[in-house]
Amino acid sequence: DFFSKSDPFLEIFRMNDDATQQLVHRTEVVMNNLNPAWKTFKVSVNSLCSGDQDRRLKCIVWDWDSNGKHDFIGEFSSTFKEMRGAMEGRQVQWECINPKYKAKKKNYKNSGIVILNQCKIHKMHSFLDYIMGGCQIQFTVAIDFTASNGDPRNSCSLHYIHPYQPNEYLKALVAVGEICQDYDSDKMFPAFGFGARIPPEYKVSHDFAINFNEDNPECAGIQGVVEAYQSCLPKLQLYGPTNIAPIIQKVAKSASEETNTKEASQYFILLILTDGVITDMADTREAIVHASHLPMSVIIVGVGNADFSDMQMLDGDDGILRSPKGEPVLRDIVQFVPFRNFKHASPAALAKSVLAEVPNQVVDYYNGKGIKPKCMSEYESSRTLAP
């Protein structure tokens, strides 16, 4: 630069098999400095070199300009294998070369030296590692039986039992449940209802077993849940309000007991099917913040055409969800999906949306606790031998 020193930043590109190059990382700009020290950064081995330690990496140093026309300082190439040399206190360095200067200037050596001070490799276990290591995904289903769904005898009701075709709840339950059951090894699903008056005393309950067996609320497969739903519906009085905190707390209790094992044994997923506005929002936020510390996720499927703006808030994608006391969630564990958006879409599109965040949520929980997959040795040895 004419009136100051250069403002360098570094870009690392992965060289692909088809000769294209993919930007893997761009450092921050260090202003007005001929001897910059860029901050430590993390990058996955997969994005850096697709797991191939000998894959070429192209590194370019630029001098930043505010108009976006950055000046080329120099470049060098390396491999991840070479970078690994900067472990255990050693450094690796490369001459940064500007080919134009090298061709023109006789005494040209380089345009600077780039030094890698330290390289560390952290093993991050994947969702598959935990599943192959024996982690069981436990799915619990909760169905909204509040009066806002409409009288089941009325064809306009979301709970209408049609002799020939499934109602909105059954469509959502089967579509989502059949995706979820592939992750659940024993295919036994505890299934609960909320917001109804239940026999024999017809008191309002927000966490009753839909098979009316409180000691064993499990149903065999999604078909078992469908049958229990169809059987219990005529016996209920749809009521209210729409309180979902009790069912979140019920599953959280099981998840809390699981934390005592200090192993990746069981991860709980609560699937809530509801037609709309939650009435116990403060308690629900409190329950979700508590559950975010446990091996647990919540998937809420919105049935019907109600205003689901409250649900979007619980999802936490637009900002950090907090309890009424201001405590933030430890991790984002809620995924909200409006079923109406997928009525005419493929099951694959619904599956992708419903389960999009679950693998990362499982990995985040166990990695955050420093819990490794069980039985890794057998799985890893078989994976290493795979072609």
Side-chain angles (χ1 to χ4, degrees), residues 58-319:
K58 185 176 182 182
C59 305
I60 303 177
V61 182
W62 300 91
D63 174 16
W64 178 85
D65 269 334
S66 56
N67 63 6
K69 295 178 180 175
H70 311 308
D71 300 316
F72 176 76
I73 292 178
E75 65 185 19
F76 61 94
S77 88
S78 183
T79 62
F80 177 49
K81 195 178 207 172
E82 203 175 351
M83 290 176 176
R84 289 185 65 163
M87 295 170 87
E88 294 157 13
R90 294 192 298 273
Q91 288 182 333
V92 181
Q93 57 185 50
W94 300 269
E95 286 191 294
C96 197
I97 304 296
N98 185 322
K100 271 190 190 173
Y101 291 173
K102 193 173 183 181
K104 282 183 185 175
K105 299 180 180 179
K106 276 189 180 177
N107 299 328
Y108 177 80
K109 284 187 180 177
N110 57 55
S111 297
I113 306 249
V114 173
I115 300 165
L116 177 60
N117 280 318
Q118 192 180 53
C119 174
K120 280 185 181 177
I121 298 171
H122 293 280
K123 168 73 176 163
M124 296 291 284
H125 297 293
S126 70
F127 178 61
L128 189 60
D129 289 336
Y130 285 103
I131 296 299
M132 297 294 281
C135 182
Q136 304 288 317
I137 303 293
Q138 302 288 358
F139 269 97
T140 299
V141 178
I143 300 171
D144 181 342
F145 289 108
T146 54
S148 56
N149 288 284
D151 185 336
R153 292 167 296 189
N154 186 322
S155 61
C156 298
S157 170
L158 293 169
H159 280 304
Y160 178 59
I161 298 295
H162 192 286
Y164 307 116
Q165 62 188 55
N167 63 28
E168 292 294 290
Y169 273 90
L170 282 173
K171 284 178 192 168
L173 173 64
V174 172
V176 178
E178 286 188 343
I179 300 155
C180 297
Q181 72 178 2
D182 289 336
Y183 289 91
D184 193 311
S185 58
D186 68 0
K187 305 285 186 283
M188 297 298 288
F189 300 103
F192 297 95
F194 58 93
R197 284 174 158 170
I198 61 169
E201 282 141 27
Y202 288 94
K203 285 183 180 171
V204 177
S205 173
H206 298 293
D207 58 354
F208 62 92
I210 63 171
N211 64 3
F212 297 123
N213 182 350
E214 293 301 329
D215 296 329
N216 182 15
E218 292 192 329
C219 303
I222 290 304
Q223 192 51 41
V225 179
V226 169
E227 287 164 12
Y229 165 79
Q230 289 174 321
S231 169
C232 84
L233 195 54
K235 300 167 189 166
L236 302 173
Q237 285 181 9
L238 272 58
Y239 206 68
T242 309
N243 292 353
I244 65 171
I247 196 68
I248 295 172
Q249 289 158 352
K250 196 178 193 98
V251 176
K253 190 167 182 279
S254 300
S256 185
E257 288 163 8
E258 173 61 22
T259 58
N260 299 329
T261 66
K262 303 282 193 292
E263 286 186 341
S265 303
Q266 295 187 88
Y267 190 92
F268 294 81
I269 295 177
L270 171 60
L271 172 62
I272 299 175
L273 305 173
T274 180
D275 77 324
V277 184
I278 304 171
T279 39
D280 64 340
M281 184 52 92
D283 289 344
T284 296
R285 280 163 51 204
E286 183 81 48
I288 289 169
V289 168
H290 170 66
S292 71
H293 293 261
L294 303 171
M296 177 175 168
S297 293
V298 180
I299 297 169
I300 302 174
V301 176
V303 179
N305 296 310
D307 174 10
F308 290 124
S309 49
D310 277 356
M311 302 296 189
Q312 305 287 6
M313 185 185 87
L314 292 177
D315 196 319
D317 286 348
D318 303 331

Side-chain angles (χ1 to χ4, degrees), residues 20-39:
T20 58
Q21 50 191 44
Q22 176 77 38
L23 179 65
V24 173
H25 183 75
R26 179 184 289 123
T27 70
E28 75 283 7
V29 177
V30 179
M31 300 298 285
N32 196 26
N33 198 321
L34 297 179
N35 190 22
W38 290 296
K39 290 174 187 168

Side-chain angles (χ1 to χ4, degrees), residues 7-20:
D7 310 313
F9 68 94
L10 168 72
E11 290 183 329
I12 302 174
F13 294 87
R14 179 185 72 228
M15 308 305 289
N16 296 321
D17 295 334
D18 60 0
T20 58

Side-chain angles (χ1 to χ4, degrees), residues 15 49-57 78-82 84:
M15 308 305 289
C49 60
S50 307
D52 175 6
Q53 298 198 17
D54 294 312
R55 185 178 291 274
R56 299 309 300 175
L57 302 169
S78 183
T79 62
F80 177 49
K81 195 178 207 172
E82 203 175 351
R84 289 185 65 163

